[in-house]
Amino acid sequence: MGITLKQAQTAVQAAHEKAIEMGVKMNIAVVDSGANLVAFIRMDDAWLGSLDIAIKKAKTARFFDMPTGAIGGLSQPGGPLYNIEHSNGGLITFPGGIPLKNSESQIFGAIGVSGSTVEDDHAVAEAGVQALQGE
């Protein structure tokens, strides 16, 4: 079973609250197990260019079932996944995308966040992940 709309909204809301707490303006996307967009918000004045990045981070995390930052480490020159970012219509290989797991540890979606530093993006995405722990 893929992520439900209610679960996606829970993740987005938690990530949104974390972004407010941190004082950053984010685009936050959640995709289902098929990498289809389920929920999305763009905070007031968040960068327009980050809209697509947030969605691609979520899709990238789901396509490869690992955080986007981990893929980034593998996609450096000489790495085993060098140039992977050019596949699948374009991937994002820096932090801010994280797979979402259900209570049986099955991946049922992913969250992607963009709009600040990659460290901030990851922290906001992690808040969305934490909101679904035990779902």
Side-chain angles (χ1 to χ4, degrees):
M1 169 94 180
I3 193 167
T4 65
L5 176 58
K6 183 178 179 185
Q7 290 168 320
Q9 289 172 327
T10 296
V12 166
Q13 183 62 35
H16 180 230
E17 289 171 7
K18 180 67 171 180
I20 291 170
E21 174 189 312
M22 293 172 62
V24 292
K25 298 170 182 167
M26 298 288 195
N27 291 281
I28 304 164
V30 173
V31 298
D32 63 15
S33 58
N36 302 296
L37 187 64
V38 177
F40 179 87
I41 64 165
R42 177 179 170 261
M43 294 174 67
D44 294 343
D45 300 320
W47 292 333
L48 291 173
S50 289
L51 189 152
D52 184 56
I53 294 170
I55 295 169
K56 285 185 177 177
K57 283 183 181 182
K59 288 183 173 192
T60 300
R62 178 55 190 113
F63 285 160
F64 298 98
D65 295 337
M66 67 177 79
T68 53
I71 297 168
L74 299 170
S75 66
Q76 297 302 306
L81 299 180
Y82 181 61
N83 277 330
I84 195 169
E85 65 275 8
H86 301 290
S87 70
N88 296 287
L91 302 174
I92 302 296
T93 60
F94 44 87
I98 306 173
L100 297 170
K101 296 180 182 180
N102 63 19
S103 59
E104 288 92 38
S105 295
Q106 299 166 322
I107 295 173
F108 71 145
I111 187 168
V113 176
S114 183
S116 185
T117 65
V118 293
E119 294 82 9
D120 288 351
D121 294 354
H122 182 80
V124 171
E126 186 62 38
V129 171
Q130 293 304 314
L132 293 179
Q133 294 301 306
E135 284 275 323

